[in-house]
Amino acid sequence: MANRFSLVRWLADDRKMGAICPADLEWSLQEYIPRVAQGSLLRMARLPSIFEENLQAVGVMVRKGHTYDLNLAFRDFKTEEEAMAWLMEPL
């Protein structure tokens, strides 16, 4: 969807997202991360999960993302208001 509509900002609310199963993590590493790395997004704000298992899996995905030449700023926030304020700053 991000690429289809040329989105440049994304808010990921992962606060209640639980563990990511190994098969889904592997798919994310092989399919999702490369597409995001080559896509239109310039800023991604995240409200991290409260679950340690999710934080670990997302950490793996973030590290994989850093292996690409990215034009994407990625930050974690504690509140939606802080995240939205950062997302809406001029690019």
Side-chain angles (χ1 to χ4, degrees):
M1 292 299 273
N3 293 336
R4 183 177 184 186
F5 294 102
S6 300
L7 300 180
V8 294
R9 296 172 175 93
W10 190 274
L11 173 60
D13 187 347
D14 295 350
R15 292 177 285 191
K16 294 187 180 180
M17 184 181 284
I20 298 172
C21 75
D24 289 344
L25 177 59
E26 186 59 32
W27 177 88
S28 295
L29 295 172
Q30 298 301 318
E31 300 294 331
Y32 172 72
I33 299 301
R35 288 180 186 176
V36 169
Q38 297 170 354
S40 61
L41 289 177
L42 299 176
R43 280 197 186 161
M44 179 180 266
R46 184 174 71 113
L47 301 170
S49 177
I50 60 172
F51 300 103
E52 184 60 35
E53 298 88 358
N54 181 274
L55 295 173
Q56 290 173 2
V58 170
V60 170
M61 287 188 264
V62 169
R63 285 188 294 281
K64 174 73 173 190
H66 287 302
T67 66
Y68 293 90
D69 184 23
L70 293 177
N71 192 23
L72 171 65
F74 180 87
R75 285 184 53 190
D76 286 348
F77 293 89
K78 293 187 184 291
T79 69
E80 187 174 338
E81 293 76 22
E82 291 173 320
M84 288 301 296
W86 177 73
L87 283 172
M88 299 313 295
E89 289 176 3
L91 296 173

Tab-separated table of all heavy atoms in Angstrom, residues 34-61:
chain	number	residue	atom	x	y	z
A	34	PRO	N	12.919	-5.868	2.157
A	34	PRO	CA	13.445	-5.365	0.876
A	34	PRO	C	12.483	-4.410	0.167
A	34	PRO	O	12.919	-3.423	-0.428
A	34	PRO	CB	13.668	-6.633	0.047
A	34	PRO	CG	13.858	-7.713	1.061
A	34	PRO	CD	12.951	-7.337	2.213
A	35	ARG	N	11.200	-4.671	0.258
A	35	ARG	CA	10.223	-3.773	-0.389
A	35	ARG	C	10.181	-2.417	0.292
A	35	ARG	O	10.093	-1.387	-0.369
A	35	ARG	CB	8.841	-4.410	-0.383
A	35	ARG	CG	8.737	-5.564	-1.342
A	35	ARG	CD	7.378	-6.189	-1.320
A	35	ARG	NE	7.379	-7.372	-2.155
A	35	ARG	CZ	6.353	-8.173	-2.273
A	35	ARG	NH1	5.245	-7.935	-1.613
A	35	ARG	NH2	6.426	-9.234	-3.050
A	36	VAL	N	10.231	-2.407	1.608
A	36	VAL	CA	10.255	-1.129	2.326
A	36	VAL	C	11.540	-0.380	1.987
A	36	VAL	O	11.517	0.833	1.753
A	36	VAL	CB	10.129	-1.350	3.852
A	36	VAL	CG1	10.417	-0.063	4.614
A	36	VAL	CG2	8.735	-1.854	4.197
A	37	ALA	N	12.653	-1.105	1.939
A	37	ALA	CA	13.947	-0.477	1.655
A	37	ALA	C	13.974	0.186	0.285
A	37	ALA	O	14.640	1.204	0.101
A	37	ALA	CB	15.060	-1.516	1.763
A	38	GLN	N	13.249	-0.368	-0.668
A	38	GLN	CA	13.239	0.166	-2.028
A	38	GLN	C	12.027	1.043	-2.295
A	38	GLN	O	11.861	1.539	-3.403
A	38	GLN	CB	13.257	-0.985	-3.024
A	38	GLN	CG	14.501	-1.825	-2.925
A	38	GLN	CD	14.416	-3.102	-3.725
A	38	GLN	OE1	13.380	-3.440	-4.287
A	38	GLN	NE2	15.504	-3.831	-3.761
A	39	GLY	N	11.204	1.259	-1.286
A	39	GLY	CA	9.938	1.941	-1.491
A	39	GLY	C	9.997	3.450	-1.330
A	39	GLY	O	11.061	4.063	-1.254
A	40	SER	N	8.830	4.018	-1.235
A	40	SER	CA	8.665	5.470	-1.209
A	40	SER	C	8.766	6.077	0.188
A	40	SER	O	8.888	7.295	0.314
A	40	SER	CB	7.298	5.831	-1.809
A	40	SER	OG	6.249	5.240	-1.039
A	41	LEU	N	8.717	5.246	1.233
A	41	LEU	CA	8.715	5.789	2.593
A	41	LEU	C	9.998	6.548	2.906
A	41	LEU	O	11.096	6.090	2.584
A	41	LEU	CB	8.541	4.674	3.625
A	41	LEU	CG	7.180	4.025	3.711
A	41	LEU	CD1	7.199	2.900	4.738
A	41	LEU	CD2	6.104	5.027	4.047
A	42	LEU	N	9.824	7.702	3.552
A	42	LEU	CA	10.952	8.506	3.996
A	42	LEU	C	11.049	8.559	5.518
A	42	LEU	O	12.124	8.769	6.058
A	42	LEU	CB	10.845	9.931	3.439
A	42	LEU	CG	10.850	10.034	1.918
A	42	LEU	CD1	10.636	11.475	1.489
A	42	LEU	CD2	12.140	9.476	1.340
A	43	ARG	N	9.894	8.393	6.193
A	43	ARG	CA	9.864	8.395	7.663
A	43	ARG	C	8.926	7.310	8.162
A	43	ARG	O	7.813	7.179	7.670
A	43	ARG	CB	9.339	9.727	8.199
A	43	ARG	CG	10.353	10.783	8.200
A	43	ARG	CD	9.961	11.921	9.089
A	43	ARG	NE	10.975	12.939	8.878
A	43	ARG	CZ	10.834	14.188	9.171
A	43	ARG	NH1	9.732	14.623	9.716
A	43	ARG	NH2	11.802	15.041	8.942
A	44	MET	N	9.393	6.580	9.172
A	44	MET	CA	8.551	5.591	9.831
A	44	MET	C	8.686	5.789	11.334
A	44	MET	O	9.784	5.732	11.878
A	44	MET	CB	8.947	4.174	9.450
A	44	MET	CG	8.098	3.118	10.135
A	44	MET	SD	8.572	1.444	9.664
A	44	MET	CE	7.412	1.180	8.342
A	45	ALA	N	7.544	6.050	11.969
A	45	ALA	CA	7.486	6.179	13.428
A	45	ALA	C	6.829	4.927	13.973
A	45	ALA	O	5.891	4.394	13.377
A	45	ALA	CB	6.685	7.412	13.814
A	46	ARG	N	7.333	4.455	15.108
A	46	ARG	CA	6.786	3.231	15.685
A	46	ARG	C	6.504	3.424	17.159
A	46	ARG	O	7.296	4.013	17.892
A	46	ARG	CB	7.782	2.083	15.502
A	46	ARG	CG	7.247	0.741	15.980
A	46	ARG	CD	8.203	-0.361	15.636
A	46	ARG	NE	9.395	-0.286	16.447
A	46	ARG	CZ	9.729	-1.193	17.373
A	46	ARG	NH1	8.993	-2.255	17.573
A	46	ARG	NH2	10.820	-1.041	18.078
A	47	LEU	N	5.362	2.919	17.561
A	47	LEU	CA	5.012	2.800	18.968
A	47	LEU	C	5.277	1.340	19.314
A	47	LEU	O	4.527	0.451	18.907
A	47	LEU	CB	3.541	3.169	19.190
A	47	LEU	CG	3.164	4.584	18.747
A	47	LEU	CD1	1.657	4.767	18.768
A	47	LEU	CD2	3.851	5.617	19.614
A	48	PRO	N	6.388	1.056	20.007
A	48	PRO	CA	6.829	-0.334	20.204
A	48	PRO	C	5.861	-1.171	21.040
A	48	PRO	O	5.124	-0.663	21.881
A	48	PRO	CB	8.159	-0.192	20.942
A	48	PRO	CG	8.573	1.220	20.797
A	48	PRO	CD	7.323	2.010	20.593
A	49	SER	N	5.929	-2.454	20.792
A	49	SER	CA	5.132	-3.434	21.527
A	49	SER	C	5.526	-3.453	23.005
A	49	SER	O	6.652	-3.139	23.376
A	49	SER	CB	5.352	-4.821	20.927
A	49	SER	OG	4.649	-5.804	21.660
A	50	ILE	N	4.580	-3.889	23.812
A	50	ILE	CA	4.855	-4.092	25.236
A	50	ILE	C	5.389	-5.504	25.487
A	50	ILE	O	5.770	-5.830	26.599
A	50	ILE	CB	3.590	-3.851	26.096
A	50	ILE	CG1	2.469	-4.805	25.691
A	50	ILE	CG2	3.143	-2.396	25.999
A	50	ILE	CD1	1.253	-4.784	26.604
A	51	PHE	N	5.464	-6.326	24.430
A	51	PHE	CA	5.873	-7.722	24.550
A	51	PHE	C	7.316	-7.913	24.076
A	51	PHE	O	7.654	-7.559	22.946
A	51	PHE	CB	4.929	-8.633	23.761
A	51	PHE	CG	3.511	-8.545	24.227
A	51	PHE	CD1	2.572	-7.817	23.502
A	51	PHE	CD2	3.114	-9.146	25.407
A	51	PHE	CE1	1.262	-7.717	23.932
A	51	PHE	CE2	1.802	-9.050	25.851
A	51	PHE	CZ	0.876	-8.332	25.109
A	52	GLU	N	8.152	-8.473	24.928
A	52	GLU	CA	9.573	-8.653	24.637
A	52	GLU	C	9.808	-9.480	23.378
A	52	GLU	O	10.711	-9.187	22.597
A	52	GLU	CB	10.278	-9.299	25.837
A	52	GLU	CG	11.773	-9.438	25.658
A	52	GLU	CD	12.503	-8.121	25.451
A	52	GLU	OE1	12.099	-7.098	26.042
A	52	GLU	OE2	13.482	-8.092	24.684
A	53	GLU	N	8.999	-10.525	23.159
A	53	GLU	CA	9.178	-11.372	21.979
A	53	GLU	C	9.025	-10.565	20.701
A	53	GLU	O	9.740	-10.777	19.721
A	53	GLU	CB	8.177	-12.536	21.983
A	53	GLU	CG	8.336	-13.471	23.153
A	53	GLU	CD	7.540	-13.024	24.381
A	53	GLU	OE1	6.882	-11.952	24.350
A	53	GLU	OE2	7.596	-13.740	25.393
A	54	ASN	N	8.080	-9.635	20.684
A	54	ASN	CA	7.876	-8.786	19.518
A	54	ASN	C	9.054	-7.840	19.340
A	54	ASN	O	9.542	-7.646	18.228
A	54	ASN	CB	6.563	-8.007	19.636
A	54	ASN	CG	6.335	-7.136	18.429
A	54	ASN	OD1	6.821	-6.005	18.377
A	54	ASN	ND2	5.615	-7.649	17.458
A	55	LEU	N	9.508	-7.252	20.427
A	55	LEU	CA	10.636	-6.316	20.349
A	55	LEU	C	11.870	-6.993	19.760
A	55	LEU	O	12.589	-6.394	18.956
A	55	LEU	CB	10.955	-5.748	21.733
A	55	LEU	CG	9.870	-4.882	22.372
A	55	LEU	CD1	10.249	-4.526	23.804
A	55	LEU	CD2	9.617	-3.632	21.545
A	56	GLN	N	12.098	-8.232	20.144
A	56	GLN	CA	13.254	-8.960	19.621
A	56	GLN	C	13.121	-9.209	18.120
A	56	GLN	O	14.077	-9.000	17.362
A	56	GLN	CB	13.426	-10.283	20.369
A	56	GLN	CG	13.867	-10.107	21.797
A	56	GLN	CD	13.881	-11.417	22.570
A	56	GLN	OE1	13.597	-12.485	22.048
A	56	GLN	NE2	14.210	-11.330	23.849
A	57	ALA	N	11.950	-9.648	17.677
A	57	ALA	CA	11.735	-9.916	16.253
A	57	ALA	C	11.832	-8.641	15.433
A	57	ALA	O	12.453	-8.627	14.362
A	57	ALA	CB	10.380	-10.593	16.045
A	58	VAL	N	11.249	-7.564	15.917
A	58	VAL	CA	11.324	-6.294	15.191
A	58	VAL	C	12.777	-5.814	15.148
A	58	VAL	O	13.229	-5.272	14.137
A	58	VAL	CB	10.381	-5.234	15.806
A	58	VAL	CG1	10.630	-3.861	15.218
A	58	VAL	CG2	8.924	-5.645	15.581
A	59	GLY	N	13.511	-6.039	16.212
A	59	GLY	CA	14.931	-5.697	16.211
A	59	GLY	C	15.690	-6.413	15.099
A	59	GLY	O	16.551	-5.815	14.439
A	60	VAL	N	15.372	-7.670	14.864
A	60	VAL	CA	15.982	-8.429	13.770
A	60	VAL	C	15.635	-7.772	12.433
A	60	VAL	O	16.503	-7.604	11.563
A	60	VAL	CB	15.522	-9.909	13.796
A	60	VAL	CG1	15.942	-10.645	12.532
A	60	VAL	CG2	16.050	-10.603	15.031
A	61	MET	N	14.377	-7.373	12.273
A	61	MET	CA	13.962	-6.727	11.024
A	61	MET	C	14.658	-5.383	10.824
A	61	MET	O	15.082	-5.058	9.716
A	61	MET	CB	12.442	-6.551	10.993
A	61	MET	CG	11.698	-7.839	10.783
A	61	MET	SD	9.938	-7.566	10.515
A	61	MET	CE	9.326	-7.825	12.168
